[in-house]
């Protein structure tokens, strides 16, 4: 008998059950019979899915309140600049996409790290003498979120820890904990325009620390670190020999009275993975084109980290090829006027919002210097009927139909975040409603009675 012949038992007629045997080296093996296992359905979610938790979704989805039916809803909670249609991308950006699509050249697979020509464009765009870049230093990703995920996956193993800002973008913790990576929170100081508490940060570093995440400009704070503060952050990383993951998705989105300093331009010895993308500066978050810039002038990462990023990128084979095909024109042809107009609008709205909220008793906004947000402190002692920022923002929705994210979402209770991309008329109306809400619920304390009597 052929050693690999499959035959059936029976009289030649098909029976209801087909008993398949494979004869291997003269021995008959019943594949259908597995010893020690009783067949039963048991399909359970993986540990990774169980450990994946998004605090924003958890908090927002648990809010059962309905907005006031007599007032149109104003959402100041969504970090998507396209929602209201008042901040379209530039016509050169959309034309670049149309041209890439019409060319028919970008319908197939690209290399998992992106087309060489597209990576060359990104390298050229961000290259400077202080932080030189070549195509080999660029990994294209499906949005900045995937860039962050790949960086965490290549730098940290389960059981290690990473340091992230508090308040900070919730995705860092969501990604890390799903991978079995411990998260340690370092503090940002509102009284110092959200600078890092550097002593506290350094105290958190131990032998299991894989990296420090530095987000500048900041979501949710809208803060922009000065050159001197960035140099102090780098000094800590250099002293402790810990690499930095720089989330710079809001890079260059700073107001006219401020200057953005890419972290890698200030250091020659700290290895840095800088994450960015098209989403915010070019106002196309749905196009999902991000990048990792590898800055490693002392060859500390070496080939291992680079090779690791390439391997990890092969899991989903890179970002949309049509956007990659449009990248050259997007980076080269977008006019400076577009960037200027976007930032002028954001600064105007930020000033308007800050001024209006700073005049409201019980609120303490922190003036932003960039990005698309500002944070507002709630003096909870003046609002005793609310237990915390979540209740405060819930009632704000129920009574005034204004939705702001409670900063508990960012590990920072008793604040809320305002998105400043909404049209000016909506921002004015929202601030007016917030004022009305606070005036209705504000209670004087003994120390503030004089202020209340004014």
């Amino acid at each position: 008998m052929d050693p690999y012949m499959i035959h059936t038992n029976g009289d030649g007629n098909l029976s209801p059950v087909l008993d398949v045997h494979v004869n291997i080296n003269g021995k008959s093996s019943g594949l259908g019979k597995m010893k020690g296992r009783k067949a039963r359905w048991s399909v359970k979610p993986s540990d990774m899915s169980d450990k994946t938790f998004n605090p924003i979704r958890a908090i927002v989805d648990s809010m059962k309140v309905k907005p006031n039916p007599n007032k149109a809803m104003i959402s100041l909670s969504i970090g998507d600049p396209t929602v209201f249609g008042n901040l379209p991308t530039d016509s050169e950006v959309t034309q670049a996409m149309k041209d890439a699509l019409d060319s028919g050249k970008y319908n197939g697979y690209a290399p998992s790290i992106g087309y060489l020509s597209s990576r060359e464009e990104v390298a050229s765009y961000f290259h400077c003498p202080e932080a030189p870049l070549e195509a080999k230093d660029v990994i294209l990703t499906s949005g900045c979120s995937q860039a962050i995920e790949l960086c965490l996956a290549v730098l940290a193993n389960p059981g290690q820890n990473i340091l992230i800002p508090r308040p900070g973008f919730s995705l860092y913790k969501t990604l890390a904990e799903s991978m079995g990576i411990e998260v340690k929170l370092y503090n940002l100081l509102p009284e110092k325009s959200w600078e890092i508490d550097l002593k506290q940060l350094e105290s958190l570093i131990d032998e299991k620390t894989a990296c420090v995440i530095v987000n500048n400009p900041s979501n949710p704070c809208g803060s922009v670190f000065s050159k001197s503060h960035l140099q102090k952050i780098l000094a800590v990383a250099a002293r402790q020999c810990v690499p930095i993951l720089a989330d710079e998705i809001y890079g260059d989105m700073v107001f006219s009275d401020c200057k953005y300093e890419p972290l890698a331009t200030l250091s020659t010895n700290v290895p840095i993975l800088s994450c960015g993308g098209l989403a915010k500066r070019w106002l196309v978050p749905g196009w999902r084109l991000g990048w990792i810039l590898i800055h490693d002038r002392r060859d500390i990462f070496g080939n291992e980290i680079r090779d690791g990023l390439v391997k990890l990128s092969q899991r989903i084979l890179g970002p949309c090829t049509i956007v990659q095909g449009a990248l050259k024109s997007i980076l080269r042809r977008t006019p400076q006027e577009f960037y200027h107009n976007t930032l002028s609008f954001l600064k105007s709205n930020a000033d308007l919002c800050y001024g209006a909220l700073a005049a409201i008793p019980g609120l303490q906004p922190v003036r932003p210097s960039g990005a698309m947000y500002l944070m507002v402190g709630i003096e909870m002692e003046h609002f005793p009927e609310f237990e915390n920022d979540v209740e405060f923002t819930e009632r704000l929705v129920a009574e005034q139909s204004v939705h702001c994210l409670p900063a508990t979402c960012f590990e920072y209770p008793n604040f809320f975040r305002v998105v400043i991309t909404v049209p000016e008329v909506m921002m004015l109306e929202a601030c007016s409603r917030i004022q009305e809400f606070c005036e209705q619920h504000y209670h004087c304390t003994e120390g503030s009675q004089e202020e209340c009597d004014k």
Side-chain angles (χ1 to χ4, degrees), residues 69-139:
N70 299 316
K71 297 189 176 188
M73 186 69 176
I74 301 176
S75 179
L76 304 179
S77 62
I78 304 169
D80 180 348
T82 72
V83 167
F84 297 99
N86 60 311
L87 287 173
T89 191
D90 190 76
S91 59
E92 289 284 0
V93 177
T94 51
Q95 188 59 50
M97 278 289 275
K98 292 174 184 176
D99 292 345
L101 183 62
D102 290 342
S103 74
K105 296 178 181 178
Y106 305 107
N107 296 331
Y109 290 119
S112 64
I113 58 174
Y115 289 120
L116 174 60
S117 59
S118 302
R119 290 185 289 117
E120 285 173 340
E121 288 298 326
V122 173
S124 174
Y125 188 83
F126 290 103
H127 171 90
C128 62
E130 300 83 8
L133 286 167
E134 301 175 35
K136 67 181 177 64
D137 303 316
V138 178
I139 307 277

Side-chain angles (χ1 to χ4, degrees), residues 226-242:
S226 67
K227 182 176 181 178
S228 63
H229 189 61
L230 290 169
Q231 288 168 331
K232 291 174 185 176
I233 297 167
L234 288 162
V236 173
R239 198 159 50 239
Q240 298 293 338
C241 298
V242 176

